Amino acid sequence: MMKSIGLRAAIVSVVILGVLLLVWYGATLPKETAQGGNVSAEYAALMGGAAAKSKSGLPTPMDVANTFWDKLSKPFYDNGPNDKGIGIQLAYSLARVMIGFLFAALVAVPLGFLVGMSPVMHRALNPFIQVLKPISPLAWMPLALYTIKDSSISAVFVIFICSLWPMLINTAHGVAAVKREWLNVARTLEVNPLRKALQVILPAAAPTILTGMRISMGIAWLVIVAAEMLVGGTGIGYFVWNEWNNLSLTNVIFAILMIGLVGMALDLIFGWLSKLVAYQE
Amino acid sequence: MVEQKFLTVEALSKVFPAIRGGKPLAVFEDIHFAIAKGEFVCIIGHSGCGKSTILNVLAGLDSASSGVVIMDGREVAGPSLDRGVIFQGHALMPWLSVEKNIAFAVKSRWPDWGRDKIRTHVQKYIDMVGLTGAEHKKPSELSGGMKQRVGIARAFAIEPKMLLMDEPFGALDALTRGVIQDELLKIWSATGQTVFMITHDVDEAMLLSDKIMLMSNGPHARIAEIVENTLPRPRDRHNIHKDAQYYRIRNHLVDFLVTRSKQIASGEAEAEYDPKHPPVVRPGLADDASEASNKPPVRPMMHAV
């Protein structure tokens, strides 16, 4: 009988996952015979035994699974600057993203209201937005480091600047697109400007604003990894770079997957928030 | 000679500025009319004659190029809670429930009212339009007719001095429209609201109104004639056509819309036309033979006896 789409999709997903794991497993199978000729003893020692295990030097699915188990069973340990639990690293990254994002929202939403409501401000600010928007957020990093003189705050600033534009543009767009008839209702009811902004324009534009926030959050999570690779010290981006320097590809793969999972969780949260403010006409 | 009316419109015109090389376009000009308190006035005319613009000027949502609107002794300048508007597209806020949509208006009208007082007031108008039980539904869960009822309830709930309706039933199917017209008639009889309504529907105008203003085609549209609807009240949609006056009035209106509105627009105006006092006619009272004798226009701005 026909099964629900959800169930069928889940089955296909599991099959795809299985195939991927199988390919990975096959590609990293150890080849004992060719071993001696391929890898010098010195290199094998450098790779911490990884090279000796698989032909390509890549960790096997089992290695990564072990790492997952290892790292996730004690996520919050702290053995000094270069050895912290994954939970702590992610918390640093998330905190930077949250602070930068929050400040961006505090600037972008009111500014977006202004741009969306006033055609003059829209024309006046548009050139600035168009020039600043396409700048890679990391390009601000040297300037931020020089002026702020604190690497951690500089990373927050980079998050701020990259979260700003999608929220600003979407807020302006949402506010400008509020239906004329709702504004006319507010006008005939002599609603004061503040109440009009909060009770008519804000809820009307909320779905568009939330979409902007969702895009901003996605970009912020992309950028934080790169930013932390640059500034170092703490965070998931630093962790990835540090593990690369340790030549622990297992940990790198583990970190990549964690970045993906956290990014997905953030997107789900914003998806859920979008549903809260959505309305159907 | 000028009887004090509740609403007076004097020398209203709307001119759109010239588009490159063209001449400025007057949609309507030199519009004069008056509405008495408690009167139900319909305005009929072809698209483009500017009737929606007139309504928006009365609402304060649009401004005229010249002329004044005086309501209750004060000039209309900008929107006001004194004039409730029922929009064609219901204009409900889709993120608010039925109850909250109406409460939003009530709170605007009486900002210092408490929660309970607002609630009972809102409920009264929800019951009035027959939406009891749908208080917590969102507009998207309602049919077109129910949405328009919420619009009506919202407009009545602020107890304005005057109601303005812009083709309120235009988007509804014929059956629903009939039912809501009946309800509007009932509510209007009970509240004695002054109403100015745009419609395209001759039967709707005849069922509801005291006076029907006929507009000639635009540009340069004007009020060609004011038809006094002498059909006796209370009126009933099912029996109204049995009245002897019904077809006399209806024929007069349809004749105007089909042929005369165009003739007037093309300049074949009656010589004695005076924009300040458009002719007032009572086709319902004239018997077929003596319709011509009704021609010398009755002095406008006077109540039908």
Side-chain angles (χ1 to χ4, degrees):
Chain A
M1 281 284 96
M2 282 283 280
K3 298 193 173 69
S4 75
I5 289 182
L7 184 64
R8 282 185 288 163
I11 292 170
V12 176
S13 292
V14 169
V15 169
I16 291 173
L17 180 66
V19 170
L20 286 176
L21 286 174
L22 214 67
V23 170
W24 182 7
Y25 177 75
T28 53
L29 265 184
K31 278 192 181 167
E32 300 295 345
T33 48
Q35 196 66 65
N38 266 356
V39 181
S40 73
E42 204 175 345
Y43 180 61
L46 254 176
M47 290 297 282
K53 278 187 214 152
S54 86
K55 63 175 177 185
S56 61
L58 279 171
T60 63
M62 283 314 292
D63 293 338
V64 174
N66 281 333
T67 308
F68 259 80
W69 179 252
D70 241 35
K71 297 268 180 195
L72 290 182
S73 56
K74 42 179 173 39
F76 296 112
Y77 73 91
D78 188 350
N79 296 339
N82 278 339
D83 192 11
K84 294 187 202 299
I86 190 73
I88 291 179
Q89 303 287 31
L90 282 171
Y92 272 112
S93 299
L94 280 171
R96 286 188 187 115
V97 165
M98 290 304 155
I99 296 167
F101 180 86
L102 205 73
F103 276 102
L106 288 177
V107 172
V109 173
L111 201 61
F113 257 71
L114 188 67
V115 172
M117 285 169 89
S118 150
V120 175
M121 289 311 284
H122 177 78
R123 294 255 179 123
L125 290 179
N126 200 38
F128 296 97
I129 296 173
Q130 294 308 329
V131 169
L132 294 174
K133 186 181 65 162
I135 298 171
S136 165
L138 292 168
W140 294 97
M141 188 62 97
L143 207 57
L145 285 169
Y146 180 76
T147 49
I148 301 171
K149 297 186 172 64
D150 179 296
S151 61
S152 199
I153 298 177
S154 296
V156 170
F157 173 79
V158 166
I159 295 303
F160 165 83
I161 210 87
C162 78
S163 311
L164 197 62
W165 312 114
M167 272 195 270
L168 176 61
I169 289 163
N170 268 50
T171 305
H173 181 253
V175 168
V178 172
K179 276 201 177 175
R180 180 121 223 113
E181 51 180 18
W182 299 331
L183 297 175
N184 278 344
V185 168
R187 285 177 70 196
T188 58
L189 292 173
E190 295 185 63
V191 175
N192 69 51
L194 184 67
R195 186 158 174 254
K196 184 171 86 177
L198 293 180
Q199 294 191 11
V200 180
I201 298 173
L202 187 62
T208 324
I209 297 175
L210 246 294
T211 306
M213 290 184 165
R214 198 172 177 177
I215 297 169
S216 282
M217 185 48 91
I219 294 175
W221 190 243
L222 289 179
V223 167
I224 191 66
V225 175
E228 285 171 345
M229 283 181 179
L230 283 175
V231 300
T234 48
I236 189 72
Y238 170 72
F239 177 82
V240 172
W241 202 245
N242 198 32
E243 293 307 320
W244 164 239
N245 287 334
N246 293 341
L247 283 178
S248 169
L249 288 181
T250 320
N251 281 347
V252 170
I253 291 173
F254 166 70
I256 288 171
L257 290 171
M258 288 311 290
I259 293 168
L261 289 172
V262 172
M264 185 178 78
L266 289 172
D267 194 63
L268 283 178
I269 292 170
F270 276 88
W272 174 75
L273 286 173
S274 298
K275 260 188 204 148
L276 281 189
V277 299
Y279 56 82
Q280 202 189 347
E281 275 183 59
Chain B
M1 133 203 157
V2 176
E3 193 189 328
Q4 196 50 53
K5 287 285 190 165
F6 178 65
L7 177 110
T8 5
V9 172
E10 280 167 17
L12 208 63
S13 69
K14 180 76 178 181
V15 182
F16 286 108
I19 314 163
R20 276 187 306 169
K23 276 188 257 172
L25 183 76
V27 186
F28 55 80
E29 46 192 12
D30 217 8
I31 298 280
H32 296 256
F33 66 87
I35 298 176
K37 195 150 188 72
E39 210 169 21
F40 198 127
V41 175
C42 280
I43 185 162
I44 296 189
H46 288 278
S47 305
C49 72
K51 45 194 195 313
S52 279
T53 312
I54 293 180
L55 185 131
N56 284 338
V57 171
L58 296 190
L61 293 171
D62 200 347
S63 56
S65 308
S66 65
V68 284
V69 178
I70 295 160
M71 189 183 86
D72 218 9
R74 293 168 78 179
E75 187 178 349
V76 167
S80 156
L81 282 157
D82 287 340
R83 290 177 303 278
V85 184
I86 297 177
F87 298 89
Q88 180 174 14
H90 65 77
L92 300 178
M93 311 209 183
W95 56 90
L96 295 178
S97 65
V98 168
E99 187 183 13
K100 289 194 173 136
N101 259 292
I102 303 173
F104 180 79
V106 173
K107 249 182 260 175
S108 312
R109 182 79 174 83
W110 295 284
D112 45 349
W113 276 17
R115 192 179 290 263
D116 289 337
K117 196 164 183 190
I118 290 175
R119 206 188 174 76
T120 37
H121 189 81
V122 167
Q123 191 62 48
K124 183 175 132 197
Y125 285 90
I126 290 178
D127 296 344
M128 187 183 80
V129 295
L131 283 177
T132 319
E135 291 86 351
H136 302 295
K137 288 202 168 138
K138 294 274 171 69
S140 58
E141 300 169 80
L142 303 177
S143 67
M146 288 163 94
K147 280 183 210 164
Q148 199 49 278
R149 281 170 204 220
V150 182
I152 293 171
R154 178 173 65 183
F156 274 91
I158 60 167
E159 295 173 357
K161 290 182 182 164
M162 180 172 190
L163 265 186
L164 304 166
M165 305 191 206
D166 188 357
E167 281 186 64
F169 313 129
L172 304 180
D173 63 273
L175 285 173
T176 316
R177 197 186 306 169
V179 175
I180 298 195
Q181 282 166 358
D182 281 348
E183 276 171 10
L184 179 65
L185 199 57
K186 214 167 63 200
I187 298 166
W188 176 76
S189 320
T191 56
Q193 268 289 353
T194 311
V195 181
F196 179 85
M197 171 167 156
I198 295 176
T199 178
H200 272 128
D201 184 340
V202 168
D203 294 299
E204 182 172 276
M206 289 174 64
L207 177 69
L208 297 171
S209 70
D210 296 313
K211 267 192 335 201
I212 301 165
M213 298 198 294
L214 298 174
M215 282 191 83
S216 62
N217 291 2
H220 308 291
R222 58 188 205 206
I223 295 178
E225 207 170 81
I226 296 173
V227 175
E228 288 200 355
N229 187 355
T230 45
L231 281 167
R233 289 186 193 270
R235 297 173 193 150
D236 173 1
R237 198 157 45 92
H238 302 288
N239 295 313
I240 190 172
H241 61 279
K242 291 175 189 153
D243 195 289
Q245 297 187 33
Y246 180 82
Y247 283 103
R248 288 202 286 265
I249 301 176
R250 196 172 196 283
N251 289 344
H252 185 91
L253 296 176
V254 171
D255 177 51
F256 175 86
L257 287 175
V258 174
T259 51
R260 288 177 51 218
S261 59
K262 264 180 251 139
Q263 289 168 357
I264 295 169
S266 57
E268 299 171 38
E270 293 93 272
E272 71 270 27
Y273 179 81
D274 171 10
K276 288 199 174 91
H277 305 292
V280 177
V281 295
R282 299 186 187 120
L285 296 183
D287 31 83
D288 298 311
S290 68
E291 190 163 0
S293 69
N294 203 28
K295 258 283 142 100
V298 192
R299 254 266 179 274
M301 296 182 166
M302 284 209 301
H303 268 300
V305 200

